[in-house]
């Protein structure tokens, strides 16, 4: 079934200005803000402004301009929070959860950028 976007999700409300957020960066097509329940000293959520549910949805249907803008924003954020190894930072992890097995809570595509401490193994095996 094709993706159906629920415009009542919490990030849609943030984009409409109905819920406040701690903005890190805003560009033409992208918004980045701090996670309300941070899992690391720096925990930034990067979201496209367009109505995309998951990474694969975004990659399949977003315009080239949206896709470029999003990833340039990621680069800028890594620089801003001092995490990019290429800029002397100690590194970061970028995670996106999709659907049921990915345990996605908010059905608006978002990339978590986590930094500021050693982040341990990628996944717990169980
Ligand atoms: P997911 O599990 O969908 O990958 O991650 C959703 C993330 O959104 C969680 O890390 C959660 O803490 C964050 N979150 C949920 N509601 C809000 C909110 O109202 N504001 C902000 N800034 N983050 C939120």
């Amino acid at each position: 079934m094709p993706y159906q976007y629920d415009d009542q999700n919490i990030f849609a409300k943030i984009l409409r200005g109905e819920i406040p957020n701690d903005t890190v960066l805003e560009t033409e097509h992208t918004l980045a803000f701090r996670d309300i329940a941070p899992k690391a000293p720096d925990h930034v959520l990067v979201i496209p402004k367009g109505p995309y549910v998951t990474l694969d949805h975004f990659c399949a249907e977003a315009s080239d301009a949206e896709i470029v803008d999003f990833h340039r924003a990621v680069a800028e954020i890594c620089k801003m929070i001092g995490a990019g190894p290429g800029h002397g930072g100690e590194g970061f992890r970028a995670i996106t959860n999709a659907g049921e097995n990915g345990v996605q809570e908010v059905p608006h595509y978002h990339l978590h950028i986590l930094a500021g401490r050693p982040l341990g193994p990628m996944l717990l095996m169980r």
Side-chain angles (χ1 to χ4, degrees), residues 10-11 14 33-37 39 43 45 97 103-106 110 112:
I10 202 105
F11 294 169
I14 285 176
F33 51 91
R34 293 201 174 266
D35 196 292
I36 203 165
K39 311 293 187 299
H43 186 169
L45 300 170
N97 300 315
V103 196
Q104 179 178 10
E105 284 173 35
V106 180
H110 51 283
H112 298 255

Short mmCIF file of all heavy atoms in Angstrom, two decimals, residues 10-11 14 33-37 39 43 45 97 103-106 110 112, ligand 1:
data_model
loop_
_atom_site.label_atom_id
_atom_site.label_comp_id
_atom_site.label_asym_id
_atom_site.label_seq_id
_atom_site.Cartn_x
_atom_site.Cartn_y
_atom_site.Cartn_z
N ILE A 10 2.80 14.57 15.52
CA ILE A 10 3.36 15.65 16.35
C ILE A 10 4.34 16.54 15.57
O ILE A 10 4.42 17.75 15.80
CB ILE A 10 4.01 15.04 17.62
CG1 ILE A 10 4.12 16.07 18.73
CG2 ILE A 10 5.32 14.41 17.37
CD1 ILE A 10 3.13 15.88 19.80
N PHE A 11 5.07 15.98 14.62
CA PHE A 11 6.03 16.80 13.87
C PHE A 11 5.30 17.69 12.86
O PHE A 11 5.76 18.81 12.57
CB PHE A 11 7.09 15.94 13.19
CG PHE A 11 8.00 15.22 14.16
CD1 PHE A 11 8.87 14.24 13.73
CD2 PHE A 11 8.01 15.53 15.52
CE1 PHE A 11 9.72 13.58 14.61
CE2 PHE A 11 8.84 14.88 16.42
CZ PHE A 11 9.70 13.90 15.96
N ILE A 14 4.41 20.56 14.89
CA ILE A 14 5.59 21.43 15.08
C ILE A 14 5.80 22.28 13.84
O ILE A 14 6.02 23.49 13.92
CB ILE A 14 6.83 20.57 15.44
CG1 ILE A 14 6.72 20.09 16.91
CG2 ILE A 14 8.13 21.34 15.20
CD1 ILE A 14 7.82 19.16 17.36
N PHE A 33 15.54 20.26 15.10
CA PHE A 33 15.27 20.73 16.46
C PHE A 33 15.71 19.65 17.44
O PHE A 33 15.89 18.48 17.09
CB PHE A 33 13.78 21.06 16.63
CG PHE A 33 12.84 19.96 16.19
CD1 PHE A 33 12.39 19.00 17.08
CD2 PHE A 33 12.41 19.89 14.87
CE1 PHE A 33 11.54 18.00 16.67
CE2 PHE A 33 11.55 18.88 14.45
CZ PHE A 33 11.11 17.93 15.36
N ARG A 34 15.85 20.05 18.71
CA ARG A 34 16.34 19.12 19.73
C ARG A 34 15.22 18.18 20.16
O ARG A 34 14.07 18.60 20.31
CB ARG A 34 16.91 19.90 20.93
CG ARG A 34 18.17 20.65 20.51
CD ARG A 34 19.07 21.04 21.66
NE ARG A 34 20.29 21.61 21.12
CZ ARG A 34 21.40 20.92 20.88
NH1 ARG A 34 21.47 19.64 21.18
NH2 ARG A 34 22.46 21.51 20.37
N ASP A 35 15.60 16.90 20.34
CA ASP A 35 14.65 15.90 20.79
C ASP A 35 14.20 16.23 22.22
O ASP A 35 14.99 16.64 23.05
CB ASP A 35 15.31 14.50 20.76
CG ASP A 35 14.29 13.38 20.85
OD1 ASP A 35 13.65 13.22 21.92
OD2 ASP A 35 14.12 12.66 19.85
N ILE A 36 12.91 16.03 22.47
CA ILE A 36 12.35 16.37 23.79
C ILE A 36 12.86 15.42 24.88
O ILE A 36 12.87 15.79 26.06
CB ILE A 36 10.81 16.36 23.71
CG1 ILE A 36 10.20 17.20 24.80
CG2 ILE A 36 10.24 14.96 23.73
CD1 ILE A 36 8.73 17.53 24.58
N ALA A 37 13.29 14.24 24.50
CA ALA A 37 13.81 13.25 25.47
C ALA A 37 15.18 12.78 24.98
O ALA A 37 15.32 11.66 24.46
CB ALA A 37 12.84 12.09 25.59
N LYS A 39 18.71 11.29 24.10
CA LYS A 39 19.41 10.04 24.46
C LYS A 39 20.93 10.24 24.47
O LYS A 39 21.68 9.29 24.65
CB LYS A 39 19.06 8.93 23.47
CG LYS A 39 17.57 8.74 23.19
CD LYS A 39 16.82 8.23 24.40
CE LYS A 39 15.37 7.88 24.09
NZ LYS A 39 14.53 8.98 23.61
N HIS A 43 21.16 15.61 20.77
CA HIS A 43 20.19 14.72 20.11
C HIS A 43 19.27 15.62 19.29
O HIS A 43 18.36 16.26 19.83
CB HIS A 43 19.40 13.92 21.14
CG HIS A 43 18.49 12.89 20.54
ND1 HIS A 43 17.85 11.92 21.28
CD2 HIS A 43 18.11 12.66 19.25
CE1 HIS A 43 17.11 11.16 20.49
NE2 HIS A 43 17.25 11.59 19.25
N LEU A 45 16.81 16.16 15.91
CA LEU A 45 15.93 15.54 14.92
C LEU A 45 15.90 16.41 13.69
O LEU A 45 15.65 17.63 13.79
CB LEU A 45 14.51 15.39 15.49
CG LEU A 45 14.39 14.54 16.75
CD1 LEU A 45 12.99 14.67 17.35
CD2 LEU A 45 14.73 13.09 16.48
N ASN A 97 14.25 5.41 12.20
CA ASN A 97 13.38 4.27 12.46
C ASN A 97 12.21 4.34 11.48
O ASN A 97 11.68 5.42 11.22
CB ASN A 97 12.86 4.33 13.90
CG ASN A 97 13.98 4.30 14.92
OD1 ASN A 97 14.90 3.50 14.80
ND2 ASN A 97 13.92 5.17 15.91
N VAL A 103 10.30 0.37 14.93
CA VAL A 103 9.78 1.03 16.14
C VAL A 103 9.75 2.55 15.96
O VAL A 103 10.30 3.31 16.75
CB VAL A 103 10.54 0.61 17.42
CG1 VAL A 103 9.74 0.98 18.67
CG2 VAL A 103 10.84 -0.87 17.43
N GLN A 104 9.09 2.96 14.88
CA GLN A 104 8.92 4.39 14.60
C GLN A 104 7.72 4.90 15.39
O GLN A 104 6.62 4.39 15.25
CB GLN A 104 8.70 4.59 13.10
CG GLN A 104 8.50 6.04 12.70
CD GLN A 104 8.32 6.19 11.18
OE1 GLN A 104 8.17 5.21 10.46
NE2 GLN A 104 8.33 7.43 10.71
N GLU A 105 7.96 5.93 16.21
CA GLU A 105 6.86 6.51 17.01
C GLU A 105 6.12 7.58 16.25
O GLU A 105 4.90 7.70 16.34
CB GLU A 105 7.42 7.17 18.28
CG GLU A 105 7.84 6.23 19.38
CD GLU A 105 8.53 7.01 20.49
OE1 GLU A 105 8.13 8.17 20.76
OE2 GLU A 105 9.47 6.46 21.07
N VAL A 106 6.87 8.43 15.56
CA VAL A 106 6.26 9.59 14.91
C VAL A 106 6.30 9.37 13.39
O VAL A 106 7.38 9.25 12.80
CB VAL A 106 7.02 10.89 15.28
CG1 VAL A 106 6.36 12.08 14.59
CG2 VAL A 106 7.05 11.09 16.79
N HIS A 110 12.14 11.37 10.01
CA HIS A 110 13.12 12.14 10.78
C HIS A 110 14.39 11.35 10.93
O HIS A 110 14.38 10.13 11.05
CB HIS A 110 12.57 12.54 12.16
CG HIS A 110 11.98 11.40 12.95
ND1 HIS A 110 10.74 10.88 12.67
CD2 HIS A 110 12.48 10.69 13.99
CE1 HIS A 110 10.48 9.90 13.52
NE2 HIS A 110 11.52 9.75 14.33
N HIS A 112 17.57 11.00 13.41
CA HIS A 112 18.14 11.34 14.73
C HIS A 112 19.64 11.53 14.54
O HIS A 112 20.31 10.66 13.98
CB HIS A 112 17.97 10.18 15.71
CG HIS A 112 16.57 9.78 16.02
ND1 HIS A 112 15.95 10.10 17.21
CD2 HIS A 112 15.66 9.06 15.32
CE1 HIS A 112 14.72 9.58 17.23
NE2 HIS A 112 14.53 8.93 16.11
P1 LIG B 1 11.05 7.65 16.56
O1 LIG B 1 10.84 6.59 17.60
O2 LIG B 1 9.78 7.93 15.80
O3 LIG B 1 12.23 7.38 15.69
O4 LIG B 1 11.45 8.96 17.35
C1 LIG B 1 10.58 9.97 17.72
C2 LIG B 1 11.34 10.94 18.59
O5 LIG B 1 10.57 12.10 18.71
C3 LIG B 1 11.64 10.42 20.01
O6 LIG B 1 13.04 10.44 20.22
C4 LIG B 1 10.90 11.41 20.91
O7 LIG B 1 11.61 11.72 22.08
C5 LIG B 1 10.76 12.63 20.00
N1 LIG B 1 9.59 13.45 20.28
C6 LIG B 1 8.30 13.03 20.46
N2 LIG B 1 7.48 14.07 20.67
C7 LIG B 1 8.26 15.18 20.59
C8 LIG B 1 7.97 16.58 20.72
O8 LIG B 1 6.84 17.02 20.93
N3 LIG B 1 9.02 17.42 20.58
C9 LIG B 1 10.30 16.98 20.33
N4 LIG B 1 11.26 17.91 20.21
N5 LIG B 1 10.60 15.68 20.20
C10 LIG B 1 9.58 14.79 20.34
#
